[in-house]
Amino acid sequence: MSNEHAANGHGHADPHAHGADHGHGHDDHIHPAPTNPLFKYVFSTDHKVIGIQFLFSGLIFFVVGGLLAMAIRWQLAWPWKPMPFMARFMPSWAENGYLMPPEWYNKLFTMHGSVMIFFVIIPLLTGAFGNFLIPLMIGARDMAFPKLNMFSYWFMPPAMIAMANAFMVPGGAPESGWTSYPTLSNSFTSTPGSYEAQTWWLISLLFAGVSSLMGSINYITTIIMLRAPGMKLFRMPMTVWALFITAILQAFALPVLTSALVMQLLDRVAGTNFFSPAGWVVANGPAVVGGGLPLLWQHLFWFYSHPAVYIMILPGMGMVSDIIATFSRKPLFGYKPMVFAIAGIAGLGFIVWGHHMFQSGMNPALGATFMLSTMMIALPSAIKVFNWLGTMWGGRLQFTSSMLNAISFVAMFIIGGLSGIFMAATPVDMHIHDTYFIVAHIHYVLFGGSTFAIFAAIIFWFPKMFGRMMNEPLGKLHFLLTFIFFNGTFFLMHIIGMHGHPRRIADPTVYEYLRGTGTMGLNQFMTLSAFGLGLSQLIFAFNFLYSIFAGPKAPANPWHANSLEWVATDSPPPYFNFEKIPTVYHAPYEYSVPGMENDYVPQTQPLPEPTAHTVVEKA
Amino acid sequence: MAHAAAIPVNPGTLATSGPKVQGPPVTAGKVAMWLFLATEIMFFTGLIGTYIVLRAGSPATAYSDKFSPNQIPKDVAVVAPDAKLYNWPLPYDAHTNPLSIDLTAFNTFILICSSVSMVRALAAIQKGDKKKLTAWLFVTVLFGSFFLGVQVYEYRSLMFEHIYPKGVSATGHFTPDVSLFASCFFTMTGFHGAHVAGGVFMLICLLLQSLRGTYTQTHHSSVELIGLYWHFVDLVWIILFTVVYLI
């Protein structure tokens, strides 16, 4: 009854919902393509263009975050040696012989973490692939709210500018880590980076958060409302399922971070007392009335940021599931358990935040419950890993560069997942808390996991995005070098972490037990590997940029996959996505169906009768 | 872009041949509005949860009728044996609590009335009565603006006009920095006030549209959606009023 354009913002409200038998499709009208390049490529409402905008800005920030990491590694391997190239950028370091000032190390890891998490991994996974893939995979012409989608991208540039500005304000970039714990973060006088830059950091994250919120509301609504005829929930590709559950996580967890960011911002600019202790003075700064609880920030922050680590891995899991099934030419092993496992991880993700705070002075009894719930996450994670292995088992594996990245996602996720269980156990955590062990863990999950998934997904969907194929030999070379250098960089961190090497320390040699050639030798080896890792990405960058302009033209379905974006439209798709909204007959994993001519059955093609019965039931 | 294909014809007829679509029988706008309200609930949960935790964690000697918040001497039992100590300002206790519950109770009543008038507005247009829609929207805008006016008046007297006893504030004025209670009060009511202001702005847009006769019996989902938001803002206030003023 109330299906008006005015409120829906757009006429894409589902045309078929009201009755299949009288095709009143006026709601499904197709807008003419914008001709003005400003609206075609910049302020576009087309989900594909917005997805590619997120992709490019994410990759640009990936370079920024990577360079920050290189600087961190330089300092760790050769503490207080003049940093190469920096003379040109840092004239103020001249008096110090171009040595890095100690607080600069804190700025580096703070900004490395913030940039990589809030401007690379989350925007790439949910912004780029969420936008690009959801409408194409469920058979919709666009998102439910294309304008809201445009705004969700254009809330990112203010966030990026605020974050970049944080480098330039007096005192330099923030120094309180990407977790931004008070009391370091909420007093102007605690460190140079807290003088002004911390405020910009908070503003930046507020903008990025609003962008994510708009995106996730849009994704959920789109998936609920705009699925093509026949696209039942349990016929959706795993990618869509993962993005759907991720969007729910984001919608429910992120507002809490927003409230925490607002409170820290008010603490800094309006003199409120949420996170400052009673009668608190720092470094001869002005006294505050205080009375608040610094620990409260940690609870609020991790209430978002633990679900956020699943926001950063679940979309990767979904995409890897699709990629592995496609290149194994086998149905995904255990489709429904995979969905429930993702939902289980997401659900448990809300009740485990305290495992970040075992050593914070939190009540140990509370820590025990967090330990238990955290360890329960191993169950759905193991279901996923075994199902990926089950999918590959006995398949006709095609080792394309995309598949290699996807397989290494599975392998690295196992290592990252296992080291996570170490941390989850409170007694073990006492030893490895705040050491390089946790740094190894987070990078095995976020680089070994999410970033390999991003590489796999970029190569896999590149033909759909740009209509051209990426170069396979270069892709394999990039994969091989990345894989080797990645492990060379991060695996050794487990070892020095067990040895007690603290994280977030500019100069490990201040400690006697870290001064030896063992630790420092490993540090130097890791740094060389990290430089190799950074240089290997040049191959990817070249392959990516060259292929956009000069790669071989891609057919509509180069990988012989089943889901709608491959079988129902061109590469790249027209702005209206589908000439006809396709009809879906089964889940997208019908590979190697016995008795069929091809080894894949597109979702738009009904299964032959006897097979249809058995396969659909199984799915 | 290699799509030389002509703009396709309306595909609505396709639904007759294939299986039916799987969407639920609601509009996308409503789904999105409920999701938005869910995010808002989580945002206010963050604020209210913070309030509860901070209040529970506030030491028993944080407030007193004789000393400024958090500036009570350690040897208070010797220095001022008759001083009353609280962990949090109590309602109607003029020594520590500057809030006027009577004024805000009246204001709460006004906001609840505005929810009623919003319901009447929606009911009117559902019957196709455009004039009543305009009238009730006008009443809702009036109530909403009145609520905001009272809140501004309250803030002004708290922050600038009245001089409060020591137990409320060391400076004599009740501003966000004088105590934890003040920080919580201004943040929670301030964000709620901002939501009311946004709601009043949207209601004014609705009112202008309804004056132009945009909404009809079958075409009024904006009224419904903004009504949902307005009721949400009202509900949040009832919780905030209870938590901040009454308990």
Side-chain angles (χ1 to χ4, degrees):
Chain A
M1 57 164 222
S2 49
N3 191 16
E4 295 80 3
H5 294 204
N8 297 341
H10 230 264
H12 288 273
D14 195 356
H16 313 296
H18 310 288
D21 29 28
H22 56 285
H24 67 123
H26 74 276
D27 275 332
D28 198 59
H29 62 262
I30 295 158
H31 301 274
T35 45
N36 184 338
L38 186 67
F39 294 107
K40 198 169 174 184
Y41 298 115
V42 184
F43 296 105
S44 173
T45 55
D46 182 345
H47 72 100
K48 299 182 288 299
V49 177
I50 295 168
I52 290 168
Q53 286 171 333
F54 269 112
L55 180 67
F56 276 104
S57 49
L59 289 176
I60 289 167
F61 270 86
F62 194 30
V63 176
V64 175
L67 290 174
L68 292 168
M70 299 297 128
I72 294 173
R73 285 310 321 173
W74 174 268
Q75 168 70 12
L76 281 173
W78 297 284
W80 318 125
K81 294 282 181 299
M83 202 189 292
F85 312 118
M86 285 309 277
R88 211 173 292 168
F89 302 107
M90 285 292 159
S92 63
W93 290 9
E95 59 191 51
N96 217 2
Y98 296 104
L99 301 188
M100 182 192 290
E103 72 272 15
W104 248 82
Y105 182 81
N106 297 359
K107 295 181 196 301
L108 287 176
F109 70 67
T110 300
M111 294 306 267
H112 167 71
S114 310
V115 163
M116 285 298 198
I117 285 166
F118 296 109
F119 294 94
V120 180
I121 302 282
I122 294 179
L124 278 182
L125 286 174
T126 62
F129 292 107
N131 266 310
F132 190 84
L133 292 177
I134 287 175
L136 283 174
M137 284 185 143
I138 63 170
R141 296 224 183 277
D142 203 325
M143 286 287 178
F145 307 103
K147 282 217 181 84
L148 184 70
N149 207 17
M150 177 182 83
F151 288 127
S152 97
Y153 180 74
W154 286 104
F155 262 68
M156 283 307 276
M160 295 165 183
I161 290 167
M163 192 61 95
N165 191 41
F167 278 104
M168 298 169 214
V169 293
E175 290 162 37
S176 41
W178 80 276
T179 53
S180 196
Y181 282 1
T183 51
L184 195 56
S185 58
N186 69 343
S187 159
F188 286 92
T189 45
S190 57
T191 83
S194 290
Y195 179 58
E196 204 172 299
Q198 186 67 28
T199 307
W200 287 101
W201 185 91
L202 291 163
I203 291 169
S204 171
L205 258 55
L206 280 171
F207 272 101
V210 173
S211 158
S212 289
L213 274 181
M214 291 196 279
S216 51
I217 288 175
N218 216 345
Y219 302 158
I220 299 171
T221 312
T222 305
I223 293 171
I224 291 177
M225 300 302 298
L226 297 190
R227 277 169 290 131
M231 181 62 89
K232 295 178 184 171
L233 281 176
F234 280 107
R235 286 179 182 171
M236 297 197 303
M238 281 308 296
T239 304
V240 179
W241 262 114
L243 288 164
F244 182 52
I245 292 169
T246 304
I248 295 173
L249 266 184
Q250 219 161 22
F252 283 88
L254 217 152
V256 177
L257 178 74
T258 307
S259 68
L261 293 172
V262 162
M263 284 185 272
Q264 194 178 99
L265 191 64
L266 289 175
D267 267 8
R268 293 177 55 82
V269 301
T272 56
N273 306 297
F274 290 110
F275 303 121
S276 36
W280 179 58
V281 182
V282 180
N284 298 322
V288 295
V289 175
L293 299 173
L295 200 60
L296 179 63
W297 165 266
Q298 297 188 27
H299 280 291
L300 292 171
F301 180 85
W302 288 114
F303 184 83
Y304 163 72
S305 292
H306 195 79
V309 308
Y310 298 122
I311 290 166
M312 290 183 263
I313 191 93
L314 293 182
M317 288 179 167
M319 296 191 293
V320 159
S321 303
D322 281 347
I323 292 168
I324 286 182
T326 304
F327 290 123
S328 300
R329 315 309 298 166
K330 259 186 71 186
L332 184 69
F333 189 93
Y335 170 73
K336 275 189 182 171
M338 287 293 250
V339 173
F340 294 138
I342 290 190
I345 293 174
L348 286 171
F350 272 108
I351 53 166
V352 297
W353 77 90
H355 66 213
H356 297 270
M357 301 166 57
F358 285 155
Q359 314 304 326
S360 67
M362 189 178 68
N363 187 334
L366 197 55
T369 64
F370 281 122
M371 174 170 98
L372 193 70
S373 53
T374 304
M375 290 200 163
M376 272 159 64
I377 293 186
L379 295 174
S381 307
I383 290 173
K384 298 202 72 71
V385 167
F386 283 118
N387 283 359
W388 286 318
L389 298 179
T391 307
M392 287 187 274
W393 185 269
R396 282 183 295 118
L397 300 196
Q398 298 170 340
F399 290 106
T400 59
S401 50
S402 178
M403 178 65 161
L404 290 171
N405 279 297
I407 294 175
S408 95
F409 167 94
V410 177
M412 298 300 101
F413 176 72
I414 292 173
I415 298 180
L418 288 178
S419 62
I421 297 179
F422 283 64
M423 245 87 63
T426 39
V428 185
D429 186 62
M430 287 173 93
H431 179 63
I432 53 183
H433 183 85
D434 252 345
T435 67
Y436 260 82
F437 196 88
I438 184 77
V439 181
H441 165 72
I442 189 74
H443 287 93
Y444 262 87
V445 181
L446 281 195
F447 198 117
S450 309
T451 310
F452 274 112
I454 286 170
F455 288 144
I458 288 177
I459 299 167
F460 190 73
W461 279 289
F462 191 88
K464 203 43 73 178
M465 287 179 171
F466 302 106
R468 291 175 189 273
M469 308 292 290
M470 280 178 81
N471 184 298
E472 270 297 308
L474 279 181
K476 282 177 182 156
L477 179 68
H478 163 255
F479 163 74
L480 188 71
L481 292 176
T482 305
F483 187 78
I484 292 170
F485 286 130
F486 163 76
N487 282 294
T489 308
F490 295 109
F491 193 80
L492 304 177
M493 288 183 184
H494 290 117
I495 297 165
I496 61 166
M498 279 298 191
H499 186 54
H501 192 312
R503 66 173 183 161
R504 294 183 172 179
I505 182 170
D507 180 7
T509 59
V510 294
Y511 293 112
E512 178 78 44
Y513 72 102
L514 297 174
R515 227 170 272 166
T517 47
T519 310
M520 288 316 286
L522 285 182
N523 260 331
Q524 283 156 12
F525 182 85
M526 283 187 274
T527 296
L528 292 175
S529 297
F531 291 162
L533 185 60
L535 290 175
S536 319
Q537 305 318 309
L538 293 178
I539 303 171
F540 185 82
F542 171 77
N543 192 358
F544 183 84
L545 293 174
Y546 178 82
S547 303
I548 286 180
F549 299 108
K553 287 251 185 250
N557 188 2
W559 316 117
H560 301 302
N562 288 338
S563 45
L564 292 180
E565 82 274 28
W566 302 111
V567 297
T569 186
D570 288 335
S571 296
Y575 70 92
F576 44 77
N577 286 357
F578 303 99
E579 285 195 20
K580 274 183 176 176
I581 297 290
T583 302
V584 175
Y585 294 95
H586 52 80
Y589 300 111
E590 306 307 342
Y591 293 104
S592 307
V593 176
M596 298 289 285
E597 198 174 322
N598 291 326
D599 72 343
Y600 65 106
V601 188
Q603 278 191 288
T604 50
Q605 182 186 326
L607 286 166
E609 261 318 307
T611 331
H613 184 67
T614 50
V615 175
V616 169
E617 287 310 304
K618 258 200 299 187
Chain B
M1 302 283 251
H3 51 82
I7 293 178
V9 290
N10 168 13
T13 49
L14 195 81
T16 52
S17 55
K20 287 186 186 177
V21 78
Q22 305 297 319
V26 288
T27 61
K30 217 180 239 179
V31 173
M33 179 50 85
W34 277 108
L35 283 169
F36 171 68
L37 293 185
T39 66
E40 289 279 46
I41 287 171
M42 290 308 287
F43 176 78
F44 279 103
T45 302
L47 294 183
I48 296 170
T50 298
Y51 175 87
I52 293 169
V53 171
L54 288 177
R55 181 170 173 168
S58 182
T61 56
Y63 298 86
S64 153
D65 57 345
K66 293 225 163 37
F67 301 97
S68 306
N70 281 324
Q71 287 167 25
I72 293 139
K74 285 249 162 30
D75 52 349
V76 61
V78 182
V79 184
D82 58 334
K84 280 184 252 163
L85 297 174
Y86 318 96
N87 80 322
W88 204 256
L90 299 174
Y92 282 120
D93 176 17
H95 294 300
T96 52
N97 194 332
L99 305 179
S100 164
I101 294 178
D102 301 344
L103 176 69
T104 311
F106 176 66
N107 214 15
T108 308
F109 174 70
I110 292 294
L111 198 63
I112 294 172
C113 289
S114 81
S115 252
V116 176
S117 63
M118 190 71 222
V119 170
R120 299 300 296 265
L122 181 63
I125 194 63
Q126 277 172 344
K127 290 193 195 107
D129 192 338
K130 292 188 183 187
K131 277 200 183 128
K132 271 196 176 162
L133 169 72
T134 311
W136 283 116
L137 279 177
F138 181 72
V139 172
T140 313
V141 168
L142 215 59
F143 280 146
S145 314
F146 182 85
F147 177 87
L148 280 177
V150 171
Q151 209 178 8
V152 169
Y153 166 80
E154 183 194 21
Y155 271 34
R156 225 173 73 113
S157 54
L158 285 172
M159 291 170 77
F160 307 111
E161 286 180 351
H162 278 273
I163 302 293
Y164 291 103
K166 255 191 157 180
V168 171
S169 152
T171 61
H173 295 294
F174 192 67
T175 48
D177 55 331
V178 296
S179 69
L180 189 56
F181 176 63
S183 305
C184 292
F185 167 79
F186 281 106
T187 307
M188 292 164 85
T189 57
F191 269 94
H192 179 266
H195 279 78
V196 176
V200 168
F201 175 74
M202 287 190 282
L203 284 170
I204 289 173
C205 294
L206 278 188
L207 182 61
L208 293 178
Q209 289 285 324
S210 84
L211 282 172
R212 289 172 56 198
T214 311
Y215 303 114
T216 61
Q217 190 166 8
T218 53
H219 183 104
H220 58 262
S221 63
S222 316
V223 181
E224 197 176 354
L225 295 179
I226 292 171
L228 269 177
Y229 173 81
W230 189 252
H231 297 315
F232 165 78
V233 169
D234 190 3
L235 187 67
V236 169
W237 179 252
I238 291 171
I239 297 171
L240 285 186
F241 177 60
T242 311
V243 169
V244 178
Y245 288 79
L246 294 184
I247 299 181

